[in-house]
């Protein structure tokens, strides 16, 4: 008999990073506000949470991140100007972001790693399971990864992480999971985790990507977690403790993702994400693809 677990309604989005890989663009503009075609990257992430049924969103911010709050707030002057012009299309786009979800904000203050950022969410989350979405990973809405992770957590309890198979020479860029198969083809049982191992030390080629559904016991562990790799409090280290002892917070499962993912944290992948998404847009795609073919042909 399938056990029922508490329904998840809250999402946490850490957004306190400095975005140093995108300097000088991020000197005064948060990296999360960089546009992917015509929407800031962070809006795609909030839309994903809402599509999975999580409409209570807490954003972990820091200094110089006020534009994030402004984007998801009403802009009465702009709305009034568009309304007077009769520009209903752009008015709807402006209002869309402020109507997406119930938004909350808390500042991380001292940037001490992803684990510390997640710990900042404890007062808001309380004793409920919750999702964590990293803004650098954009998941195509046609591949509902987070919704599947929520289903797995509601079935098994505990925590669920998103995994993706990568080439062995790339595993040092990610947290890595040691896993066992389950009866569900896309679900594995996680029994160990390592943060950014060398290819020789990696227990598998299953890399952790930026989606988590976490049991609230993670907060108790994070409070006791010492700084790890890079001198930061690593979420992977806390999850490793949960995976090692199911009595505290339940098991850790992984959903193996084989869909479309866009990494906007890397400059090259950011550009590729824009090209891919623009090509697939009904309003932009036909003309853009024609230009792109011509451009590539000329360059080749």
């Amino acid at each position: 008999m399938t056990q029922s677990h508490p329904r998840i309604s809250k999402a946490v989005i850490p957004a306190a990073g400095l975005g140093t890989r995108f300097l000088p663009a991020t000197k005064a503009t948060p990296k999360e506000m960089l546009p992917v075609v015509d929407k800031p990257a962070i809006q795609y992430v909030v839309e994903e949470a809402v599509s999975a049924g999580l409409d209570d969103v807490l954003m972990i911010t820091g200094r110089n991140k006020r534009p994030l709050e402004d984007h998801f707030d009403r802009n009465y002057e702009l709305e009034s100007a568009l309304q007077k012009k009769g520009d209903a299309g752009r008015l709807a786009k402006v209002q869309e972001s402020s109507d997406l979800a119930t938004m909350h904000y808390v500042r991380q203050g001292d940037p001490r790693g992803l684990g510390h950022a997640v710990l900042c969410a404890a007062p808001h989350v309380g004793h409920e399971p919750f999702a964590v979405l990293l803004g650098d990973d954009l998941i195509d809405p046609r591949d509902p990864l987070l919704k599947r992770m929520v289903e797995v957590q509601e079935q098994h309890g505990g925590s669920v992480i998103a995994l993706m198979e990568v080439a062995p020479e790339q595993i040092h860029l990610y947290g890595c999971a040691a896993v066992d198969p389950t009866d569900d083809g896309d679900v594995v049982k996680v029994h160990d985790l390592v943060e950014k191992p060398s290819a020789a030390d990696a227990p598998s080629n299953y890399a952790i990507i930026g989606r988590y559904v976490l049991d609230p016991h993670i907060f108790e562990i994070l409070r006791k977690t010492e700084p790890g790799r890079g001198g930061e409090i690593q979420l992977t280290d806390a999850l490793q403790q949960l995976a090692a002892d199911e009595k505290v917070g339940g098991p850790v499962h992984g959903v193996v993702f084989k869909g479309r993912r866009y990494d906007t944290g890397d400059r090259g992948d950011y550009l590729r994400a824009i090209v891919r998404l623009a090509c697939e847009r009904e309003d932009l795609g036909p003309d853009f693809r024609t230009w792109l073919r011509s451009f590539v042909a000329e360059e080749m």
Side-chain angles (χ1 to χ4, degrees), residues 124-267:
H124 180 77
V125 169
H127 301 289
E128 304 174 28
F130 64 104
V132 174
L133 298 86
L134 304 190
D136 288 346
D137 280 336
L138 301 190
I139 304 298
D140 195 293
R142 294 167 294 184
D143 301 312
L145 169 61
L146 185 60
K147 184 177 180 181
R148 175 60 175 150
M149 294 174 67
V150 169
E151 291 173 353
V152 172
Q153 198 281 336
E154 290 176 345
Q155 180 181 359
H156 297 287
S159 298
V160 182
I161 61 177
L163 301 173
M164 180 182 68
E165 291 188 80
V166 301
E169 60 269 21
Q170 292 182 316
I171 197 65
H172 72 281
L173 300 172
Y174 299 88
C176 178
V179 304
D180 295 316
T182 70
D183 293 337
D184 291 323
D186 64 335
V187 179
V188 293
K189 180 76 173 294
V190 178
H191 58 81
D192 196 14
L193 294 146
V194 184
E195 178 66 19
K196 297 183 177 179
S198 65
D201 295 331
S204 74
N205 67 330
Y206 283 111
I208 305 170
I209 59 175
R211 298 295 181 270
Y212 309 81
V213 177
L214 301 176
D215 183 274
H217 283 90
I218 195 75
F219 296 130
E220 180 182 341
I221 294 174
L222 284 170
R223 291 186 184 100
K224 302 175 183 177
T225 300
E226 295 294 327
R229 190 178 182 90
E232 297 181 335
I233 298 174
Q234 298 290 347
L235 180 59
T236 302
D237 292 343
L239 282 166
Q240 193 277 334
Q241 293 188 48
L242 285 179
D245 185 4
E246 292 188 17
K247 296 177 183 177
V248 180
V252 177
H253 286 86
V255 170
V256 181
F257 182 62
K258 297 182 179 180
R260 287 155 285 201
R261 167 181 173 260
Y262 311 107
D263 182 0
T264 60
D266 173 83
R267 288 175 298 174

Side-chain angles (χ1 to χ4, degrees), residues 46-158:
V46 174
E47 288 173 350
E48 180 187 352
V50 173
S51 294
L54 316 182
D55 58 2
D56 184 321
V57 178
L58 174 68
M59 206 167 287
I60 312 298
T61 68
R63 293 187 62 193
N64 302 322
K65 298 286 185 169
R66 182 61 184 269
L68 293 171
E69 298 184 35
D70 291 341
H71 179 71
F72 292 101
D73 198 0
R74 298 289 300 272
N75 186 326
Y76 294 101
E77 295 84 356
L78 177 58
E79 292 177 28
S80 178
L82 292 171
Q83 199 165 28
K84 289 177 180 177
K85 289 173 62 177
D87 196 337
R90 288 190 174 89
L91 177 61
K93 289 181 178 180
V94 168
Q95 292 176 332
E96 181 182 16
S97 60
S98 57
D99 295 336
L100 268 175
T102 302
M103 302 294 299
H104 310 270
Y105 304 90
V106 64
R107 287 197 175 192
Q108 185 177 4
D110 186 14
R112 296 167 56 196
L114 177 57
H116 180 256
V118 171
L119 186 56
C120 292
H124 180 77
V125 169
H127 301 289
E128 304 174 28
F130 64 104
V132 174
L133 298 86
L134 304 190
D136 288 346
D137 280 336
L138 301 190
I139 304 298
D140 195 293
R142 294 167 294 184
D143 301 312
L145 169 61
L146 185 60
K147 184 177 180 181
R148 175 60 175 150
M149 294 174 67
V150 169
E151 291 173 353
V152 172
Q153 198 281 336
E154 290 176 345
Q155 180 181 359
H156 297 287

